């Protein structure tokens, strides 16, 4: 009987730590997903709103210049985003509409 009770107590101790381990893994997973999502949003905005993927350049110098200009455009969109309540896509649409009216 003592072996059975010791086995039961061992199982109880072992399984009592599982929820805390799962909570720890869930917290790490949530942090990773949040970080990964912000990186994906950055890359999507840099490609689509700052026109990074539309580079017709062939030489290293012109590619570097285009990349720098796209980064400057992204930074300006971020600055506009903080002053207004609009996201990058809405800002881009608003800028295009204002440019088309002129």
């Amino acid at each position: 009987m003592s072996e059975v009770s010791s086995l039961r107590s061992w199982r109880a101790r072992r399984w009592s730590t599982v929820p805390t381990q799962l909570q720890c893994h869930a917290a790490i997973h949530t942090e990773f997903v949040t970080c990964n999502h912000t990186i994906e949003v950055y890359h999507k905005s840099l490609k689509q709103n700052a026109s990074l993927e539309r580079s017709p350049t062939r030489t290293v110098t012109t590619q570097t210049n285009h990349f720098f200009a796209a980064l400057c455009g992204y930074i300006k969109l971020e600055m506009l985003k903080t002053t207004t309540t609009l996201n990058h896509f809405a800002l881009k649409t608003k800028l295009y509409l204002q440019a088309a009216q002129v």
Side-chain angles (χ1 to χ4, degrees):
M1 279 282 188
S2 65
E3 291 179 19
V4 173
S5 63
S6 66
L7 180 62
R8 285 183 183 162
S9 66
W10 177 79
R11 284 184 182 167
R13 281 188 313 240
R14 183 163 186 258
W15 287 106
S16 67
T17 61
V18 170
T20 57
Q21 289 174 352
L22 289 177
Q23 289 170 353
C24 179
H25 290 306
I28 291 170
H29 177 70
T30 304
E31 183 179 337
F32 175 75
V33 167
T34 304
C35 179
N36 194 19
H37 177 69
T38 56
I39 292 171
E40 286 177 6
V41 169
Y42 165 74
H43 282 270
K44 182 178 180 181
S45 183
L46 189 61
K47 284 182 185 179
Q48 293 179 354
N49 295 326
S51 301
L52 184 63
E53 63 185 11
R54 295 186 195 104
S55 174
T57 59
R58 293 199 191 325
T59 64
V60 175
T61 304
T62 54
Q63 288 173 355
T64 306
N65 290 340
H66 183 77
F67 178 74
F68 181 73
L71 270 177
C72 289
Y74 175 79
I75 291 169
K76 286 183 180 184
L77 279 174
E78 277 293 314
M79 289 170 54
L80 283 171
K81 181 182 169 186
T82 57
T83 58
T84 63
T85 58
L86 301 173
N87 62 8
H88 289 187
F89 292 99
L91 285 169
K92 182 180 174 184
T93 304
K94 188 175 179 181
L95 289 172
Y96 277 143
L97 290 175
Q98 287 179 356
Q101 288 177 356
V102 172

